[in-house]
Amino acid sequence: MTLAKPAFPAPDHDHRRCTADALAHAEAVCEQRAQKFTPIRRQVLGALLSSHRPLGAYEVIDELAKSMARPAPITVYRALDFLMANGLVHRIESRNAYLACAAHDHDATSAVAFLICERCGLVGEISSASFAKDLNAAARSSGFAPKLSVVEITGVCAHCQKMS
Amino acid sequence: MTLAKPAFPAPDHDHRRCTADALAHAEAVCEQRAQKFTPIRRQVLGALLSSHRPLGAYEVIDELAKSMARPAPITVYRALDFLMANGLVHRIESRNAYLACAAHDHDATSAVAFLICERCGLVGEISSASFAKDLNAAARSSGFAPKLSVVEITGVCAHCQKMS
DNA sequence: AAATAATCATAAGCTTGCTTACTATATCTT
DNA sequence: AAGATATAGTAAGCAAGCTTATGATTATTT
C-alpha cells in the first residue's frame, strides 16, 4: 500500500503557499500543453483554491462576484470544463461540486479517492495504486471492464476528531 | 478477495422472480423491524425493481404515473427515504438516481461498490470485503475515520462487451 | 373513546445544475 | 490585412432535485 501524500489538508498548513503552488502548477501545465490560462480560468481556479472544500457552480459564481462583475453560469461552467479537462479540478459526484486538485503529481489515469470530512467539509485526496488495483480486479472478476472510478469516502478528519 | 455474488444482472436472468424475491425480502425486513411496508412504498420499490437501472426521482414518478394518479415529488421522496433508511434502495451519487438493492444479504455497514455499464445503463453491486478493508486502511492511514463510502465504477459490462 | 403518532395528499415553490443561441472580442494563421 | 479559430459575454430558459407548509387519513396507544 503506497500512499502518494499526507492527503488531508492540515488546519495549520501554509495556505498562501499552497494556493500559489497550485496556480504555478496550473500555469506550467497550460504552457506545456499550449493551453491558455486565461483570467477567468485563473479566477475560477482561484475561487476553488480559496478553500479545500468542494464548491458548487453557484458557489463559485458567488465567490467570483466578490471581486468582479457577477459571471453568468455558462462562463463558470466553461472554465470548470477546461480546468477538469486539464486535471486541475475534480468533480465531487456525491456533492455535485468542484474541488481544486491538490495533488500535482498524480497521472490522469490513476484512480483518486476523496476523503470528505462531514464536520469541517474539507476534502483530501488519496491516490493509492493498491486499492485501485483491487477495485478493478473485483470489477473485472465479474467480466466488467472498468473505466472511470468514483471513490468518495465520507467520515471525520483527524483534526475534527481531536476537537470532539 | 471474496465476492459475495455474481454481481451483474445477466440479460437472461429470471427477472420476474428477481422482483418477487426483492419484494418478499422488503416485506420481511419491514416486518422484522416493525416498519410499515405501505402501498406507496411498495409501488416505489416496484418501480425501481422494474429495471436494474437507477432511476431519478422524476423517472420514478413517471413510472408510477402509468398505474396510478401521478404522485407528487414529496410523496416519492418520502418513500425513497424510507426505503434507503432500511437498506432496500441505494442512491447512486454520480447519477442523482436511485437503485433497488439487489444484494439481500450485505449488512448495512459493509461497503458496496456499484458497477455502472455505460452502454446498457444496468448497474451491478459488488460487495467485496477485501477492497473495503484496503480502502478504509488507506483512509485511516492519514488519520481519517471513514464512515460511508461511495464507490461507483463506470465501464462496460460483460454482456455489452460481447455485443460490440 | 380520546389522544397521540405516523403516514400520506395537495399545492406551491425554491435552488441548483446545466444548456441553447447569439454576439463580441481576442488570438493566431496565412 | 483578412480570414479562421478559440475564448468570452449576454440573455434567456429548462429540467431535475428537493423542500416548506398545511390539512387529511390512518394506525397506535392510553
Side-chain angles (χ1 to χ4, degrees):
Chain A
M1 170 136 13
T2 7
L3 288 180
K5 282 242 175 176
F8 209 87
D12 58 346
H13 77 292
D14 185 347
H15 191 58
R16 199 75 153 289
R17 173 163 181 189
C18 141
T19 303
D21 282 358
L23 284 172
H25 175 248
E27 239 161 57
V29 164
C30 290
E31 185 157 2
Q32 191 184 335
R33 303 187 187 176
Q35 301 273 44
K36 288 166 213 160
F37 195 47
T38 63
I40 330 103
R41 291 171 179 173
R42 159 175 252 117
Q43 277 171 296
V44 167
L45 182 57
L48 292 177
L49 282 169
S50 70
S51 73
H52 288 274
R53 284 180 39 240
L55 298 184
Y58 277 59
E59 287 180 291
V60 172
I61 293 177
D62 290 344
E63 189 65 31
L64 291 192
K66 291 177 186 168
S67 60
M68 61 182 284
R70 186 178 199 78
I74 185 72
T75 301
V76 165
Y77 279 109
R78 279 196 283 238
L80 287 172
D81 285 346
F82 172 87
L83 294 168
M84 282 193 291
N86 288 281
L88 301 169
V89 160
H90 297 292
R91 190 185 147 91
I92 306 295
E93 299 290 344
S94 62
R95 305 277 170 123
N96 293 328
Y98 303 87
L99 179 76
C101 175
H104 308 321
D105 49 358
H106 64 67
D107 47 10
T109 57
S110 77
V112 179
F114 298 101
L115 304 176
I116 308 172
C117 178
E118 65 186 14
R119 298 257 175 90
C120 63
L122 296 195
V123 173
E125 285 178 42
I126 56 176
S127 106
S128 157
S130 106
F131 86 70
K133 223 175 59 184
D134 272 20
L135 210 56
N136 285 343
R140 262 190 279 270
S141 80
S142 56
F144 191 91
K147 282 192 177 177
L148 201 141
S149 295
V150 171
V151 180
E152 297 168 11
I153 306 174
T154 304
V156 182
C157 76
H159 183 247
C160 285
Q161 283 172 58
K162 283 181 219 144
M163 306 300 307
S164 62
Chain B
M1 172 137 9
T2 6
L3 288 179
K5 282 244 175 174
F8 209 87
D12 59 345
H13 77 290
D14 184 348
H15 190 58
R16 201 70 155 294
R17 173 163 180 189
C18 142
T19 304
D21 282 358
L23 284 171
H25 175 248
E27 238 161 57
V29 165
C30 290
E31 183 157 1
Q32 190 184 336
R33 304 185 187 177
Q35 300 273 44
K36 288 167 213 159
F37 194 47
T38 63
I40 329 104
R41 289 169 180 175
R42 159 174 252 118
Q43 277 170 297
V44 168
L45 182 58
L48 292 177
L49 282 168
S50 70
S51 74
H52 287 274
R53 283 181 37 239
L55 299 184
Y58 277 59
E59 286 180 290
V60 172
I61 292 176
D62 290 344
E63 189 65 30
L64 291 191
K66 290 176 186 170
S67 60
M68 61 182 282
R70 185 178 200 79
I74 185 73
T75 302
V76 165
Y77 279 109
R78 278 195 285 239
L80 287 172
D81 285 346
F82 173 87
L83 294 168
M84 283 193 291
N86 289 282
L88 301 169
V89 160
H90 297 291
R91 190 186 147 91
I92 306 294
E93 299 290 345
S94 62
R95 306 276 170 122
N96 293 329
Y98 304 85
L99 180 76
C101 176
H104 308 322
D105 49 358
H106 63 68
D107 47 10
T109 57
S110 77
V112 179
F114 297 101
L115 304 177
I116 309 172
C117 178
E118 63 187 12
R119 297 257 175 89
C120 63
L122 296 195
V123 174
E125 284 178 42
I126 56 177
S127 107
S128 156
S130 108
F131 86 72
K133 223 175 59 184
D134 273 20
L135 210 56
N136 285 344
R140 263 191 277 269
S141 80
S142 56
F144 191 92
K147 282 193 176 175
L148 201 140
S149 295
V150 171
V151 180
E152 296 169 12
I153 307 175
T154 304
V156 182
C157 77
H159 184 247
C160 285
Q161 283 172 58
K162 282 180 218 147
M163 306 300 306
S164 61

